[in-house]
C-alpha cells in the first residue's frame, strides 16, 4: 500500500487532482466530459500555482543568499519547502493510508453529527500525514502514535472548518464551502484573539484600511502589481549590497570572466538584477488571482453537484463541501499583506534570538496564512498584517523547535526512497514554513511526542470536547430549521 500510494502521490497535485476529481465527479453523477473538464481545470490551476511559486522562490533564492552572505547570517535550519514536507508525509506507512482512514473518520463524524464538512480537498491530506509521520518517527516508528496525531489533527480541523464556515462563506461569497486545511485553520485562534485585542486599542478600531482603500489612497502605487514591483526591487537592491559596496572588486570579477567588461557593464548588471526581480514579484502578485479563477471554475461544478447529492442523502440538512484554500488566495488583501510580510519576516528572522530558520523556499506558503483570517478582520490590511506577523514570528520558533525531528523523518524517507526533495544538505537541519510553522501542528507534535501520557490525554479531552460542542451546535440548528 505504501508503494502504491507513494507512486500515486509522486504524480504531484497537477496530475493527481484531475484524476481524483474526475473519479469524484463520476461517482456523484456528473457526465464524464464535465467531470474531466472540472478535474483538468483544477490540475491546470495547480500547474499555474507551481509555476508562479517556483518563479517566486527560484528568483528570490539568489538575492536572499547574497544578503545572508553579506551580513554573515548563521541560520542552521535549511528551508526545505512544502515538497519535502509532502514527501515526508506521503512516503511513510502513515501517508500510505491517510486518505482512506481520514475519509472513514469524516463519514463517521457526518453520521454522528459532529461535523458538517465533507472534506474533498484530498491533496492537502498531506498535512495530516505530515504531523503523523513526524510522530511516527519520533515515537520509534509507532503506527499507533502516528495515526493518533494525524487523526486528532483531522478531527480538530473538521470542527474548526465548521466553526469558521459561515464567516468564510459570507466574506468570500462562496455558499456551502468550508476550508478543512489545518495550516489555514491554525491561524483562526490568532485571528479571533488578536482582532478583539486590536479593537480595544484606542483609535485602532477606526483604522479601517482594506486593499481597495489602499489603492484609492495611494492611487496606482497601492495596487498589488505595483507594490510587488517596488518590494521585489528593494529586496534585489539589498541583495546587490555586496556588489555596490565592493563595486571595484565586482568590476574586476566581471573582467576576470570577460576582459572587455567595464564599470558601466557592472552598473547595468546591478540595475538589471533590481528591475528583473521587481517585475517578477509584480508578475506573481498579478498572476495568482488569475490562477485562482481556474480553481473556482474547476471546483464549483464539483461542489454544486456534491452539495445536491449530499442534501438529498441527508434530507436537506446543511452540509459544507471542504475545498482547497487555493480558491481564495488571490484576494487583494492576501496579496498586499503577504507582500509586506515577506521582507518583514525575513528581516525579523535574522534578529530574533533563538531562531534558526530563514524562510526561502517556503515564501509562497505565506499566501495561505490568510484565507481564514480575512473573514475576522473583514479585509483590514493593518489588522491582517499584525495577526500574520505574530503568527509567523511564533511559527519561526515552531519550525526551529521541530527541526531535529523533521530532519530525522526526512533523512529516513530519503534513505528509503531516494526522493531528492527530502534530501537535507550536510551541516543543516531541515524545516518548512508549510504546516511545520502552524499552531495545530506544533501543539499536537509536542503533546504527542514529549509530554508522556498527559499530553495525549489532553489532546483526547480537547478533541472530544470540540466534537461534542460542534454536535450541540449542529443539533440545535437542525431543531431550529425543523421548527
Amino acid at each position: 500500500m505504501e508503494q502504491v500510494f507513494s507512486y500515486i502521490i509522486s504524480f504531484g497535485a497537477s496530475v493527481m487532482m484531475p484524476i481524483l476529481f474526475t473519479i469524484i465527479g463520476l461517482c456523484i453523477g456528473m457526465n464524464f466530459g464535465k467531470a474531466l473538464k472540472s478535474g483538468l481545470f483544477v490540475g491546470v490551476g495547480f500547474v499555474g500555482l507551481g509555476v508562479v511559486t517556483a518563479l517566486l522562490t527560484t528568483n528570490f533564492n539568489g538575492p536572499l543568499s547574497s544578503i545572508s552572505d553579506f551580513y554573515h547570517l548563521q541560520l542552521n535550519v535549511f528551508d526545505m519547502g512544502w515538497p519535502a514536507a509532502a514527501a515526508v508525509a506521503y512516503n511513510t506507512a502513515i501517508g500510505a493510508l491517510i486518505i482512506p482512514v481520514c475519509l472513514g473518520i469524516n463519514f463517521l463524524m457526518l453520521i454522528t453529527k459532529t461535523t458538517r464538512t465533507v472534506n474533498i480537498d484530498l491533496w492537502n491530506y498531506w498535512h495530516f500525514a505530515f504531523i503523523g509521520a513526524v510522530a511516527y518517527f519520533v515515537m520509534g516508528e509507532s503506527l499507533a502514535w502516528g495515526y493518533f496525531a494525524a487523526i486528532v489533527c483531522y478531527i480538530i480541523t473538521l470542527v474548526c472548518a465548521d466553526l469558521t464556515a459561515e464567516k468564510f462563506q459570507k466574506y468570500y461569497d462562496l455558499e456551502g464551502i468550508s476550508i478543512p486545511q489545518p495550516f489555514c485553520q491554525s491561524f483562526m485562534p490568532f485571528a479571533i484573539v488578536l482582532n478583539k485585542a486590536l479593537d480595544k486599542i484606542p483609535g485602532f478600531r477606526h483604522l479601517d484600511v482594506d486593499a481597495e482603500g489602499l489603492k484609492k489612497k495611494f492611487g496606482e502605487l497601492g495596487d498589488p502589481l505595483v507594490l510587488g514591483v517596488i518590494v521585489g526591487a528593494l529586496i534585489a537592491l539589498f541583495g546587490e549590497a555586496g556588489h555596490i559596496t565592493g563595486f571595484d572588486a565586482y568590476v574586476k570579477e566581471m573582467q576576470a570572466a570577460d576582459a572587455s567588461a567595464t564599470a558601466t557593464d557592472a552598473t547595468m548588471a546591478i540595475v538589471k538584477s533590481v528591475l528583473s526581480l521587481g517585475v517578477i514579484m509584480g508578475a506573481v502578485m498579478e498572476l495568482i488571482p488569475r490562477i485562482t479563477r481556474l480553481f473556482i471554475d474547476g471546483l464549483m461544478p464539483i461542489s454544486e453537484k456534491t452539495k445536491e447529492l449530499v442534501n438529498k442523502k441527508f434530507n436537506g440538512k446543511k452540509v459544507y463541501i471542504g475545498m482547497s484554500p487555493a480558491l481564495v488566495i488571490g484576494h487583494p488583501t492576501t496579496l498586499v499583506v503577504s507582500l509586506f510580510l515577506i521582507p518583514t519576516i525575513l528581516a525579523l528572522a535574522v534578529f530574533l534570538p533563538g531562531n534558526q530558520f530563514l524562510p526561502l523556499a517556503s515564501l509562497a506558503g505565506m499566501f495561505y496564512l490568510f484565507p481564514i483570517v480575512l473573514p475576522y478582520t473583514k479585509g483590514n490590511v493593518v489588522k491582517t498584517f499584525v495577526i500574520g506577523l505574530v503568527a509567523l514570528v511564533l511559527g519561526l520558533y515552531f519550525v526551529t523547535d521541530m527541526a531535529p525531528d523533521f530532519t530525522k523523518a526526512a533523512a529516513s524517507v530519503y534513505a528509503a526512497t531516494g526522493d531528492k526533495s527530502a534530501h537535507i544538505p550536510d551541516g543543516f537541519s531541515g524545516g518548512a514554513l508549510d504546516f511545520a510553522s502552524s499552531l495545530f501542528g506544533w501543539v499536537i507534535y509536542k503533546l504527542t511526542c514529549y509530554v508522556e501520557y498527559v499530553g495525549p490525554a489532553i489532546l483526547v479531552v480537547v478533541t472530544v470536547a470540540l466534537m461534542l460542542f460542534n454536535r450541540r451546535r449542529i443539533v440545535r440548528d437542525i431543531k431550529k430549521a425543523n421548527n
Side-chain angles (χ1 to χ4, degrees):
M1 285 300 293
E2 194 171 334
Q3 288 177 341
V4 170
F5 272 88
S6 293
Y7 175 68
I8 294 170
I9 298 302
S10 70
F11 291 153
S14 58
V15 175
M16 178 185 165
M17 296 313 286
I19 294 170
L20 286 172
F21 277 103
T22 301
I23 293 169
I24 289 171
L26 291 172
C27 289
I28 61 178
M30 293 175 72
N31 66 58
F32 178 76
K34 196 169 182 181
L36 177 63
K37 190 174 179 181
S38 287
L40 288 174
F41 269 130
V42 176
V44 171
F46 273 108
V47 170
L49 270 187
V51 170
V52 170
T53 55
L55 193 67
L56 179 67
T57 54
T58 302
N59 287 281
F60 266 77
N61 275 347
L64 293 175
S65 296
S66 298
I67 291 170
S68 181
D69 293 339
F70 182 71
Y71 293 103
H72 307 293
L73 307 180
Q74 296 296 320
L75 298 172
N76 298 319
V77 178
F78 181 75
D79 186 0
M80 305 285 289
W82 73 263
V88 169
Y90 279 133
N91 286 295
T92 63
I94 303 298
L97 289 172
I98 197 69
I99 292 176
V101 166
C102 286
L103 286 175
I105 289 164
N106 198 163
F107 177 73
L108 288 173
M109 290 180 70
L110 283 166
I111 62 175
T112 56
K113 298 184 179 69
T114 50
T115 189
R116 278 180 160 150
T117 294
V118 179
N119 185 5
I120 62 172
D121 182 23
L122 300 180
W123 170 252
N124 281 316
Y125 276 42
W126 76 259
H127 289 260
F128 311 112
F130 171 77
I131 202 63
V134 173
Y136 167 77
F137 285 111
V138 174
M139 302 301 283
E141 299 193 8
S142 166
L143 279 172
W145 284 117
Y147 277 116
F148 172 81
I151 290 167
V152 164
C153 186
Y154 189 70
I155 293 171
I156 290 173
T157 302
L158 283 180
V159 173
C160 288
D162 282 3
L163 297 177
T164 57
E166 289 185 7
K167 273 186 174 292
F168 175 87
Q169 292 165 20
K170 184 178 178 183
Y171 184 76
Y172 292 106
D173 193 23
L174 289 170
E175 186 185 349
I177 303 297
S178 67
I179 301 295
Q181 197 226 39
F183 184 66
C184 291
Q185 289 295 342
S186 71
F187 299 107
M188 181 256 289
F190 292 104
I192 294 172
V193 173
L194 291 175
N195 189 54
K196 287 183 178 177
L198 291 171
D199 279 342
K200 293 186 183 298
I201 299 173
F204 209 100
R205 181 191 292 269
H206 306 292
L207 194 61
D208 189 10
V209 183
D210 62 10
E212 288 303 314
L214 203 67
K215 190 172 177 179
K216 286 177 185 175
K217 188 170 183 179
F218 294 102
E220 295 307 319
L221 288 177
D223 189 283
L225 168 61
V226 179
L227 284 172
V229 172
I230 293 169
V231 171
L234 286 173
I235 291 174
L237 194 61
F238 280 105
E240 293 291 339
H243 291 154
I244 293 169
T245 55
F247 187 74
D248 290 341
Y250 181 48
V251 173
K252 289 177 182 176
E253 182 185 324
M254 290 186 68
Q255 288 172 341
D258 180 0
S260 64
T262 64
T264 302
D265 294 325
T267 302
M268 289 172 67
I270 292 170
V271 171
K272 179 184 175 183
S273 173
V274 170
L275 295 179
S276 295
L277 192 61
V279 172
I280 287 168
M281 188 65 164
V284 169
M285 293 299 112
E286 185 66 21
L287 289 172
I288 283 179
R290 296 173 187 256
I291 291 166
T292 56
R293 186 72 236 171
L294 290 169
F295 284 101
I296 294 171
D297 291 343
L299 291 172
M300 291 315 291
I302 296 276
S303 169
E304 287 163 10
K305 190 66 179 178
T306 305
K307 201 167 12 176
E308 180 187 317
L309 181 69
V310 168
N311 285 339
K312 195 182 294 181
K313 293 290 183 185
F314 285 84
N315 300 317
K317 291 172 184 155
K318 192 190 290 183
V319 176
Y320 305 132
I321 308 303
M323 291 286 194
S324 168
L327 273 173
V328 294
I329 63 165
H331 191 282
T333 299
T334 292
L335 297 175
V336 169
V337 175
S338 298
L339 199 58
F340 290 146
L341 267 180
I342 286 172
T344 305
I345 205 65
L346 288 172
L348 284 176
V350 173
F351 300 108
L352 286 171
N355 173 57
Q356 288 294 308
F357 178 68
L358 180 69
L360 295 175
S362 294
L363 285 177
M366 288 191 192
F367 296 107
Y368 290 89
L369 265 69
F370 304 110
I372 303 301
V373 173
L374 296 191
Y376 289 91
T377 63
K378 296 179 181 175
N380 186 305
V381 170
V382 180
K383 283 184 177 179
T384 306
F385 177 82
V386 172
I387 291 167
L389 184 61
V390 172
L392 273 178
V393 166
L394 288 174
L396 294 177
Y397 287 112
F398 292 159
V399 176
T400 300
D401 182 63
M402 198 187 289
D405 291 327
F406 180 94
T407 304
K408 181 179 179 181
S412 298
V413 167
Y414 179 69
T417 67
D419 190 330
K420 291 182 181 178
S421 62
H423 178 58
I424 298 170
D426 294 338
F428 285 92
S429 297
L433 194 70
D434 307 80
F435 200 49
S437 68
S438 79
L439 180 66
F440 287 2
W442 183 79
V443 169
I444 292 169
Y445 152 75
K446 284 309 258 193
L447 290 179
T448 301
C449 302
Y450 290 102
V451 185
E452 193 174 358
Y453 302 120
V454 176
I458 291 171
L459 288 174
V460 169
V461 170
V462 169
T463 303
V464 172
L466 283 171
M467 291 171 72
L468 294 175
F469 172 73
N470 203 34
R471 176 181 161 77
R472 219 168 124 192
R473 289 174 66 249
I474 292 169
V475 170
R476 185 184 64 220
D477 287 352
I478 291 171
K479 284 180 181 176
K480 277 184 185 177
N482 291 336
N483 291 334

